[in-house]
């Protein structure tokens, strides 16, 4: 658990420009009280149930279990409205923003998944939405840009630097500094200054809360032997691990190795990262010796981030969680493997979690839960290319 300054061990905190202090302080002072209000919980639970479609199933994957000689269950976050876990957090934050009296929402997005989840809840609540997105990402992710526009959001291109996610984040922060009173910034993962990592983890914790009850019902034991989740910033993993942090369950965080850890084209932050500050928190990040951020690379846009949330940096640093890195190629193979064995096309991010089954060992009566963070519709063009190559 985070301390009152926002630290997990030596990671976390709130390293922000003076101009953001009031916004972040307001959020820090009020998020826990608002989240514990009965009316807040009631409204959130109802929306998660009727709008998002929760609880998501915990599915026993029989053919996958036979292949790997284990009892493998999939937590089906791919079945959520908008196709991934990100909506759990945006529903929570929009309700919080309303209670803070905010009239306008801003967000950053890389591949567009968080932008779509944010634009969706803004449409739902009738609130103005501005999404910052790198100019290059706007070109690469045209369908999600169209979705956001159809939902009524304004998509603003970030044209500085590498014109990708970190530049979009910088633009969003600049906007927030200029509009401190009426605007709430919805961050899409367990990153950013305190209280964001803790707040987003709490909104995603519904994943492991449901898992406990579902495992108890299906296996007679609420604790599995292993939980596996992919990590970009780390929000789906934080949600899947949350209620198991103080148990004996093995927690496995799967990162994107891109073309290989030593290839110079990678996003395996726990291996390549060193301690530093990125987007307001002290964590592990990929940087040059003089502190310039190294551009990350992964075939999956959701894992293509140069840092990792401070919670995960701490879990890995203390040995509570294991990190495994998976290359583009291994993830693509795993996506086809899951599709052919279970009839489920996973998001490329989630496919990294499945590929880790090739790299771990266990006992054959072990129960393994894999968090299936999202569905693969958005990655179809990448999958089509793979079929043409083979
Ligand atoms: C965004 C995304 C991720 C990575 O983000 P986390 O915060 O690490 O969960 C993983 N899977 C899917 C499907 C995503 O859309």
């Amino acid at each position: 658990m985070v301390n009152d300054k926002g630290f997990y061990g030596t990671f976390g905190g709130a390293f922000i420009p003076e101009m953001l202090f009031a916004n972040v302080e307001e959020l820090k002072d009020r998020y826990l009280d608002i989240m514990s209000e009965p009316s807040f919980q009631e409204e959130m639970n109802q929306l998660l149930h009727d709008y998002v479609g929760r609880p998501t199933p915990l599915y026993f994957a029989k053919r996958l279990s036979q292949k790997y000689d284990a009892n493998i269950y999939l937590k089906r976050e791919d079945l959520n409205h908008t196709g991934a876990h990100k909506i759990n957090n945006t529903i929570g934050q929009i309700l919080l923003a309303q209670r803070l009296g905010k009239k306008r929402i801003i967000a950053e997005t890389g591949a567009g998944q968080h932008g779509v989840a944010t634009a969706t809840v803004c449409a739902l609540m009738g609130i103005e939405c501005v999404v910052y997105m790198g100019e290059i990402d706007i070109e690469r992710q045209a369908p999600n840009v169209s979705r956001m526009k159809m939902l009524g959001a304004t998509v603003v291109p970030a044209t500085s630097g590498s014109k990708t996610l970190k530049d979009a984040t910088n633009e969003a922060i600049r906007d927030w500094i200029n509009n401190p009173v009426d605007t709430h910034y919805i961050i899409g993962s367990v990153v950013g200054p305190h209280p964001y990592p803790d707040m987003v983890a709490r909104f995603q914790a519904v994943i492991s809360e449901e898992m406990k009850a579902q495992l108890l019902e299906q296996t007679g034991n609420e604790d599995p032997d292993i939980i596996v989740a992919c990590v970009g910033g780390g929000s789906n993993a934080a949600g899947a691990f949350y209620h198991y942090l103080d148990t004996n369950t093995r927690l496995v965080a799967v990162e994107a190795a891109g073309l290989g850890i030593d290839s110079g084209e990678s996003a395996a932050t726990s291996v390549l990262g060193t301690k530093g500050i990125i987007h307001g928190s002290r964590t592990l990040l990929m940087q040059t010796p003089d502190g310039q951020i190294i551009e990350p690379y992964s075939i999956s846009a959701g894992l293509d981030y140069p840092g990792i949330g401070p919670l995960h940096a701490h879990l890995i640093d203390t040995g509570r969680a294991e990190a495994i890195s998976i290359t583009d190629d291994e993830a693509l193979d795993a996506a086809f493997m899951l599709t052919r064995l279970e009839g489920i096309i996973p998001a490329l991010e989630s496919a990294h979690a499945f590929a880790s089954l090739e790299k771990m060992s266990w006992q054959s009566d072990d129960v393994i839960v894999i968090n299936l963070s999202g569905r693969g519709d958005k990655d179809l063009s990448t999958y089509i290319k793979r079929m043409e190559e083979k």
Side-chain angles (χ1 to χ4, degrees):
M1 283 297 136
V2 77
N3 72 16
D4 62 353
K5 296 261 185 299
F7 280 91
Y8 304 88
T10 58
F11 300 103
F15 298 85
I16 49 170
E18 192 62 35
M19 306 278 287
L20 273 187
F21 186 77
N23 304 38
V24 173
E25 197 69 6
E26 176 186 36
L27 201 58
K28 190 189 86 178
D29 287 344
R30 298 203 47 201
Y31 80 111
L32 289 176
D33 286 343
I34 291 175
M35 285 174 70
S36 63
E37 282 168 14
S39 66
F40 179 91
Q41 290 187 355
E42 197 178 311
E43 194 175 353
M44 188 169 90
N45 289 338
Q46 181 142 29
L47 283 171
L48 289 178
H49 186 269
D50 299 338
Y51 186 73
V52 176
R54 303 203 72 91
T56 58
L58 182 75
Y59 164 67
F60 176 62
K62 192 168 157 202
R63 300 221 307 139
L64 189 68
S65 297
Q66 277 163 358
K67 176 176 163 74
Y68 286 104
D69 193 24
N71 301 298
I72 304 177
Y73 290 80
L74 313 185
K75 184 58 174 159
R76 298 291 308 275
E77 293 303 298
D78 60 316
L79 297 178
N80 285 324
H81 179 45
T82 69
H85 65 289
K86 289 205 171 72
I87 190 97
N88 302 327
N89 169 48
T90 58
I91 289 273
Q93 285 202 49
I94 197 85
L95 294 176
L96 191 92
Q98 285 180 321
R99 281 156 178 79
L100 290 171
K102 305 293 178 178
K103 304 273 180 273
R104 178 174 175 269
I105 295 295
I106 57 172
E108 85 297 338
T109 197
Q113 295 300 107
H114 173 56
V116 169
T118 302
T120 298
V121 297
C122 288
L124 177 68
M125 299 300 177
I127 295 183
E128 183 189 350
C129 180
V130 177
V131 179
Y132 290 91
M133 189 170 185
E135 199 168 42
I136 290 181
D137 290 333
I138 288 178
E139 282 163 31
R140 290 194 290 203
Q141 308 289 338
N144 275 342
V145 176
S146 303
R147 279 186 194 105
M148 287 184 268
K149 288 184 175 165
M150 184 165 173
L151 287 158
T154 306
V155 180
V156 180
T159 55
S160 64
S162 56
K163 305 182 174 62
T164 58
L165 177 61
K166 84 174 157 45
D167 313 289
T169 305
N170 292 339
E171 293 295 328
I173 290 172
R174 211 161 293 151
D175 180 313
W176 209 22
I177 288 173
N178 290 325
N179 300 282
V181 179
D182 68 334
T183 297
H184 174 68
Y185 177 16
I186 299 189
I187 294 183
S189 190
V190 286
V191 299
H194 179 61
Y196 279 100
D198 184 53
M199 181 171 73
V200 176
R202 286 170 187 266
F203 286 136
Q204 293 292 356
V206 65
I207 298 173
S208 49
E209 188 185 318
E210 290 173 5
M211 259 161 58
K212 284 210 153 187
Q214 291 168 323
L215 280 167
L216 185 63
E217 191 184 312
Q218 294 184 44
T219 71
N221 183 351
E222 62 179 23
D223 295 352
D225 296 285
I226 307 175
I227 301 173
V228 185
C230 64
V231 173
S235 68
N236 85 88
F241 296 169
Y242 197 86
H243 291 285
Y244 291 100
L245 290 173
D246 56 3
T247 69
N248 292 322
T249 299
R250 270 173 70 190
L251 306 176
V252 179
V254 184
E255 296 183 309
L259 300 183
I261 286 182
D262 301 320
S263 67
E265 300 285 332
S266 182
T269 312
S270 77
V271 186
L272 300 170
T274 51
K275 289 176 189 175
I277 292 168
I278 183 170
H279 298 144
S281 79
R282 183 164 190 275
T283 189
L284 292 174
L285 68 135
M286 291 164 43
Q287 57 187 334
T288 61
D290 53 353
Q292 297 297 316
I293 290 170
I294 296 173
E295 278 303 315
Y297 166 79
S298 164
I299 194 171
S300 95
L303 305 184
D304 193 354
Y305 183 68
I308 185 175
L311 165 65
H312 297 292
H314 177 64
L315 292 176
I316 292 168
D317 193 50
T318 56
R320 176 65 189 94
E322 304 157 43
I324 291 182
S325 35
I326 294 296
T327 64
D328 290 358
D329 241 7
E330 292 165 338
L332 284 164
D333 283 345
F336 281 87
M337 181 271 297
L338 181 70
T339 304
R340 299 287 162 88
L341 282 178
E342 297 289 346
I344 297 171
I345 301 178
L348 259 171
E349 292 82 3
S350 321
H352 286 71
F354 287 89
S356 72
L357 289 169
E358 297 284 338
K359 310 219 158 177
M360 290 193 288
S361 53
W362 52 78
Q363 316 268 305
S364 61
D365 59 354
D366 277 0
V367 171
I368 304 175
V369 178
I370 301 180
N371 198 40
L372 178 43
S373 56
R375 66 176 85 122
D377 310 29
K378 69 183 177 60
D379 300 310
L380 208 57
S381 63
T382 307
Y383 293 151
I384 290 169
K385 219 168 118 207
R386 182 74 165 184
M387 286 189 285
E388 285 165 357
E389 281 164 11
K390 285 253 153 162

